Amino acid sequence: MLEFVLEYRTTIDRITDKRKLGLGEYELDDEEWMLAKELCDVLKHATMFFSCSMPNLAMVIPAMDHIDTTFTNCIINKARLQPAIHTALGLAKKTLNHYYSLTDLSNIYRCATVLHPRHKLQYFKQAGWQPEWITTAEALVRNQYTTSYRSHRIPPDGALNDGDNSASAHQVCEHTQILVAD
């Protein structure tokens, strides 16, 4: 939306011309247009992560990490930002951290990230998570498997159609080892 507004600045300036339509109170001055451009640039970079693939549960933590890193880098390089944008990024980062902390209330985010074929435990290592947190993420997946799936039997390869349900829980455990490994 902000990109659209910037693209049609000339038209918007004409519409908000005080003399013609009486919408002068909505007219943006050059400084406000510059703020809109800076904000658009920051948000475009922060949200670029979402344009690469279909969002899913396993992407919540990496997406929040990406946005947090983008905001942090912009705040650190504050010399090139207007004070209003710098303040807005600080508030956005505080809000993001609030919601990020809520992911700890549900194990599903970490389990989904650990089980995602592209991420596994390696994601957390590359993201600089503390070793105890990585161990906890792995333990959450293993505990979920033990409590919810270990007793379930799955058919061996090719047996889905012939009704043979003789696969052992050991096979499932070996499969889980592969999923979690980095």
Side-chain angles (χ1 to χ4, degrees), residues 39 42-43 46 63-77 81 84-102:
L39 182 60
V42 168
L43 293 177
M64 288 181 133
D65 284 344
H66 176 77
I67 293 169
D68 183 64
T69 299
T70 300
F71 287 177
T72 299
N73 290 340
C74 288
I75 290 169
I76 289 171
N77 299 324
L81 292 176
I85 300 297
H86 186 264
T87 302
L89 286 175
L91 292 170
K93 191 167 167 38
K94 182 178 178 179
T95 302
L96 179 69
N97 288 337
H98 168 75
Y99 287 104
Y100 198 156
S101 70
L102 294 178

Side-chain angles (χ1 to χ4, degrees), residues 99 139 154 167 178:
Y99 287 104
I154 59 169
I178 292 167

Side-chain angles (χ1 to χ4, degrees), residues 83-162:
I85 300 297
H86 186 264
T87 302
L89 286 175
L91 292 170
K93 191 167 167 38
K94 182 178 178 179
T95 302
L96 179 69
N97 288 337
H98 168 75
Y99 287 104
Y100 198 156
S101 70
L102 294 178
T103 64
D104 288 341
L105 299 177
S106 174
N107 298 336
I108 190 101
Y109 298 103
R110 286 175 283 182
C111 288
T113 304
V114 170
L115 294 174
H116 191 281
R118 190 172 112 209
H119 299 309
K120 300 189 180 187
L121 290 173
Q122 191 60 33
Y123 172 79
F124 299 112
K125 292 173 185 173
Q126 290 173 341
W129 282 39
Q130 295 176 6
E132 309 85 60
W133 294 354
I134 296 169
T135 302
T136 299
E138 181 178 6
L140 289 171
V141 172
R142 293 187 185 285
N143 183 50
Q144 187 65 40
Y145 164 74
T146 301
T147 59
S148 300
Y149 301 102
R150 178 176 255 164
S151 64
H152 294 269
R153 295 189 174 268
I154 59 169
D157 290 344
L160 288 173
N161 296 327
D162 62 13

